[in-house]
Amino acid sequence: MLSNVRVRIRLMEPIMKPTYFLTGFQGIGMVGYLVVHHLANSLPCRRVGFIEMPREPPYSAYVINPSLLSTPGEIYHCPGQGFTIAMVHWDGEFMSRYAHDYARAVASWVYLNGFSNVIVFGGLDNRLRDSDEAQLRVAVTTAYRDRYPLGNVKLMELNYAMVGPLALLMNEFERLGIPAISILPYAEPFRADPNAAIIAIKFLRELTGVDVDVSRLRELAEAIEREIQEIKESMKRSEGPPHYI
């Protein structure tokens, strides 16, 4: 068990041979949360622990498994893939208030448990996308860049900034000398973007060799697109014919 002033990580069983630590949050396009939720739901993972937080959001629901009641913060382990996933199901105002404590507790836990790599998922506002065809950017800690080649992938542009708990985590990993990479596909800034999550998962396969079925995310993307089109058609109908005076 690891605790700081406000946040505590409690495992029900040990994680043997920790390799990849993955996490993401409800930021731009909800990319980070969509990715980790999909991974925990699609791969043979099991819940092995909890992230206990002060004044946690007063919600409880079946989120990952219809027979497993989800708590606000959870740890899932996928032994066949070497993935350990931290997930916060409801953040909002809570994460704004306790994000620093959360980042310190999680980063310290990752460091003390000897994970080889950290992979964090987020999104970049697609309005900032330049004229090239790159679908994503990455941000890496110095320890990651010293250890692994980046290949053709592009780093986040100079003077652009990550924000929120993802940024706080990356700062902690940089200070602790942990190899960490943020996968940041361009995403819709004002709605959930499953297509951006698919791009992130495909890049994850390049990094780890783990293939993940993304058909559910495609179905979600198609459903969102249909809803948007229906809203647009409804707005057109409500405008009615032109009026002349």
Side-chain angles (χ1 to χ4, degrees):
M1 182 181 295
L2 176 74
S3 64
N4 67 350
V5 176
R6 294 189 172 98
V7 177
R8 181 172 59 181
I9 297 174
R10 179 165 60 88
L11 291 185
M12 298 176 291
E13 60 182 83
I15 297 172
M16 307 304 293
K17 298 181 180 179
T19 305
Y20 296 104
F21 174 81
L22 293 80
T23 194
F25 304 95
Q26 297 184 21
I28 291 175
M30 289 190 67
V31 174
Y33 181 75
L34 286 173
V35 170
V36 295
H37 180 280
H38 184 75
L39 293 175
N41 201 38
S42 301
L43 297 172
C45 307
R46 64 180 181 272
R47 188 173 66 185
V48 298
F50 301 96
I51 306 170
E52 299 174 354
M53 300 171 282
R55 299 183 183 276
E56 64 186 17
Y59 305 118
S60 187
Y62 295 100
V63 179
I64 298 295
N65 188 309
S67 62
L68 188 70
L69 191 64
S70 295
T71 68
E74 301 181 307
I75 304 289
Y76 286 82
H77 184 50
C78 322
Q81 292 71 31
F83 291 170
T84 299
I85 301 169
M87 196 177 336
V88 176
H89 294 295
W90 303 279
D91 52 24
E93 182 181 353
F94 163 81
M95 283 303 288
S96 299
R97 180 174 298 181
Y98 297 111
H100 292 82
D101 302 300
Y102 177 89
R104 291 191 190 102
V106 169
S108 297
W109 181 79
V110 169
Y111 178 79
L112 292 173
N113 281 272
F115 283 89
S116 303
N117 295 271
V118 171
I119 304 174
V120 184
F121 301 93
L124 290 176
D125 190 331
N126 62 12
R127 295 172 298 178
L128 302 176
R129 190 172 182 175
D130 58 24
S131 58
D132 67 21
E133 296 183 355
Q135 295 181 307
L136 59 79
R137 300 287 177 134
V138 300
V140 299
T141 60
T142 302
Y144 187 97
R145 193 163 192 173
D146 288 345
R147 188 174 299 183
Y148 303 107
L150 293 179
N152 296 324
V153 66
K154 292 188 175 182
L155 290 171
M156 192 171 65
E157 290 91 336
L158 189 65
N159 292 324
Y160 282 18
M162 294 178 286
V163 297
L166 183 149
L168 293 173
L169 268 181
M170 289 297 287
N171 290 344
E172 292 294 332
F173 294 140
E174 176 71 16
R175 296 185 186 108
L176 292 169
I178 296 173
I181 180 170
S182 289
I183 301 175
L184 306 166
Y186 289 102
E188 294 288 340
F190 303 117
R191 64 171 175 85
D193 192 342
N195 285 318
I198 291 172
I199 291 169
I201 290 174
K202 288 182 177 179
F203 188 72
L204 175 67
R205 180 176 59 192
E206 294 182 26
L207 292 181
T208 65
V210 175
D211 195 14
V212 181
D213 181 12
V214 294
S215 56
R216 292 183 183 177
L217 284 173
R218 288 201 178 96
E219 292 172 1
L220 178 59
E222 291 168 359
I224 291 174
E225 188 59 34
R226 284 196 301 270
E227 184 176 347
I228 291 172
Q229 290 303 316
E230 289 173 2
I231 292 172
K232 288 180 179 179
E233 291 299 323
S234 178
M235 292 177 64
K236 286 180 181 179
R237 289 193 297 269
S238 66
E239 291 173 358
H243 298 278
Y244 298 94
I245 57 173

